[in-house]
Amino acid sequence: AQSVSQHNHHVILSEAASLELGCNYSYGGTVNLFWYVQYPGQHLQLLLKYFSGDPLVKGIKGFEAEFIKSKFSFNLRKPSVQWSDTAEYFCAVITGGTSYGKLTFGQGTILTVHP
Amino acid sequence: DAGITQSPRYKITETGRQVTLMCHQTWSHSYMFWYRQDLGHGLRLIYYSAAADITDKGEVPDGYVVSRSKTENFPLTLESATRSQTSVYFCASSENRGRTYEQYFGPGTRLTVT
């Protein structure tokens, strides 16, 4: 079965710092990759997704992620974080060959941004 | 556009009680999912449904029952609640056409079993 690992449980940054959150998955075939964000007290929202094509994908609110197939990674980046980016971030994967689109989530990374 | 709603938003119940969490979506999405969110585990899939009357187990189905008699509703029942089922429960839906696989999440139900 596929799995997703997010290496950082809690990241603390100051505003304007750069952000990179790691995500690795374990599956050798075709994958669809997602980053979701959960702001305090809210439901999950999609930040960005990768299905095919350009491995550098851009999402909402200035976030981007790069799919590196050889490293089984899909790291999330933002050049300059804001206090409003404080949230929990989840990486998720859907593997090819399934018709049900079942998402497998990582454990989540809590991002705290200090003003 | 109501989207996807869950009720109740908060629930406290006692060990051994049966409790049902409701999920309703207005998009006519064919796929629906139930997840539980626990610290250190992220979100784990409990059950999912590809269409009305079609359901299947996810990663952590034990102690839960689902049904889907109508496309728009996907209730989750805890037949005899245990403290280990204290969690935040999220319902999601997806169209799954054209391999988009994007899932839309409800606001969640915070369940406490005492």
Side-chain angles (χ1 to χ4, degrees):
Chain A
Q2 65 270 20
S3 66
V4 179
S5 295
Q6 293 180 240
H7 310 297
N8 310 104
H9 176 62
H10 193 180
V11 173
I12 303 172
L13 296 173
S14 297
E15 274 193 319
S18 64
L19 170 71
E20 181 161 2
L21 301 182
C23 173
N24 287 91
Y25 62 93
S26 62
Y27 184 75
T30 303
V31 292
N32 297 322
L33 296 154
F34 304 79
W35 275 98
Y36 280 85
V37 60
Q38 185 178 28
Y39 297 103
Q42 296 189 25
H43 59 280
L44 275 77
Q45 303 170 44
L46 183 67
L47 263 184
L48 47 79
K49 57 189 176 186
Y50 171 80
F51 293 129
S52 63
D54 189 345
L56 184 62
V57 293
K58 296 189 183 299
I60 61 172
K61 303 185 181 185
F63 286 90
E64 65 179 29
E66 185 175 11
F67 171 51
I68 302 179
K69 189 174 182 179
S70 61
K71 294 185 178 180
F72 300 91
S73 70
F74 190 56
N75 292 353
L76 181 71
R77 300 194 293 247
K78 186 171 185 180
S80 177
V81 295
Q82 301 173 315
W83 175 79
S84 58
D85 293 325
T86 294
E88 189 163 13
Y89 293 81
F90 294 93
C91 182
V93 63
I94 291 175
T95 55
T98 174
S99 61
Y100 287 96
K102 291 183 289 181
L103 280 170
T104 299
F105 283 88
Q107 305 93 321
T109 298
I110 298 169
L111 172 65
T112 301
V113 180
H114 291 302
Chain B
D1 184 359
I4 184 165
T5 57
Q6 293 182 236
S7 61
R9 294 293 312 279
Y10 303 90
K11 177 75 177 178
I12 300 174
T13 192
E14 295 176 342
T15 300
R17 298 259 187 173
Q18 181 182 82
V19 60
T20 296
L21 310 184
M22 303 301 294
C23 178
H24 176 78
Q25 52 107 352
T26 60
W27 295 306
S28 299
H29 285 170
S30 55
Y31 290 85
M32 295 188 75
F33 307 83
W34 273 108
Y35 296 89
R36 59 177 291 174
Q37 183 181 23
D38 304 289
L39 194 63
H41 291 280
L43 279 82
R44 292 179 291 176
L45 182 65
I46 305 171
Y47 269 95
Y48 61 98
S49 169
D53 297 322
I54 300 175
T55 62
D56 206 348
K57 297 177 180 179
E59 182 184 353
V60 289
D62 292 344
Y64 303 95
V65 174
V66 293
S67 62
R68 194 159 175 216
S69 56
K70 293 184 178 180
T71 299
E72 61 267 29
N73 296 324
F74 191 39
L76 176 75
T77 298
L78 287 67
E79 294 186 298
S80 179
T82 64
R83 289 199 179 94
S84 65
Q85 292 177 309
T86 292
S87 186
V88 180
Y89 292 84
F90 287 98
C91 179
S93 71
S94 172
E95 194 171 33
N96 275 20
R97 282 186 193 166
R99 299 185 68 239
T100 59
Y101 295 137
E102 180 173 345
Q103 293 186 18
Y104 298 86
F105 286 80
T109 295
R110 184 174 295 275
L111 176 68
T112 302
V113 183
T114 61

